[in-house]
Amino acid sequence: DYVDDRAEPYLLPPEMPVVQLRTGDELLQTRRSVALASERGSGPRAPHILIIGAQKAGTTSMFEYLSQHPLIKRGVRRETHFLDWRWPGDDDADSLSRKWHETFFDAEAHALHPDLRALDSTPSYLLQSNLAIPRLQRMRKDLPLIVMVRDPALRAV
């Protein structure tokens, strides 16, 4: 992994953030990350990445590929359908919904290791975006979406 300092800028590794440790700081380590114990439970609520898409567009494959990363933790089930037909209702959506939705993910592991990311893949949210998007915005405004689409004429072949 040696890179010459005189190499083109795009070949150089990214600048790593510098963290000043104080005496007594406790570190948590996974296979691929190190975090401060004081950050325990400070990460965003699950899910952290959401895959939506058309049928036969590769959503299952993308879910499986991303799940192989050591810092990505799969949910209890691949398609939670939480934002469409499992939605508990609009009256208690903000607090109850978040708590119930987190039961699909390993909340204990995410609380202990703030660098872990939870993955949800419910392709049908693309078809019912009129329901899913407003509900998603109520829960998390900053959730990265991976949208998988393909040419419908080629899909039919």
Side-chain angles (χ1 to χ4, degrees):
D1 292 340
Y2 174 77
V3 178
D4 190 345
D5 290 339
R6 295 171 293 177
E8 295 294 324
Y10 67 90
L11 293 174
L12 295 174
E15 296 261 339
M16 298 299 291
V18 176
V19 176
Q20 295 292 327
L21 297 177
R22 293 184 292 284
T23 303
D25 279 348
E26 182 184 350
L27 298 175
L28 303 172
Q29 183 173 356
T30 64
R31 286 184 22 203
R32 300 273 188 247
S33 72
V34 177
L36 288 169
S38 60
E39 294 175 349
R40 208 178 270 159
S42 67
R45 296 179 178 264
H48 303 103
I49 305 165
L50 179 60
I51 301 172
I52 64 174
Q55 292 177 340
K56 303 295 180 195
T59 55
T60 302
S61 295
M62 180 61 75
F63 179 80
E64 293 299 328
Y65 299 147
L66 291 175
S67 295
Q68 293 175 18
H69 192 282
L71 290 179
I72 292 184
K73 189 107 167 106
R74 301 168 70 120
V76 175
R77 59 185 321 137
R78 186 176 78 85
E79 295 186 21
T80 63
H81 289 282
F82 180 75
L83 298 173
D84 52 19
W85 54 270
R86 288 186 197 259
W87 188 255
D90 288 332
D91 296 338
D92 53 3
D94 292 334
S95 61
L96 178 64
S97 298
R98 284 189 186 113
K99 289 177 185 165
W100 189 74
H101 192 223
E102 287 176 357
T103 63
F104 288 103
F105 305 97
D106 190 349
E108 184 178 335
H110 291 285
L112 289 174
H113 302 286
D115 292 334
L116 287 179
R117 296 293 173 248
L119 180 62
D120 184 6
S121 174
T122 306
S124 65
Y125 293 164
L126 183 65
L127 296 174
Q128 296 191 339
S129 59
N130 60 324
L131 294 176
I133 298 302
R135 292 172 177 173
L136 181 61
Q137 288 177 333
R138 285 178 71 173
M139 291 180 61
R140 296 246 347 247
K141 294 185 186 299
D142 61 343
L143 183 70
L145 289 176
I146 298 174
V147 181
M148 309 285 292
V149 294
R150 74 180 278 180
D151 185 341
L154 293 176
R155 189 190 76 152
V157 175

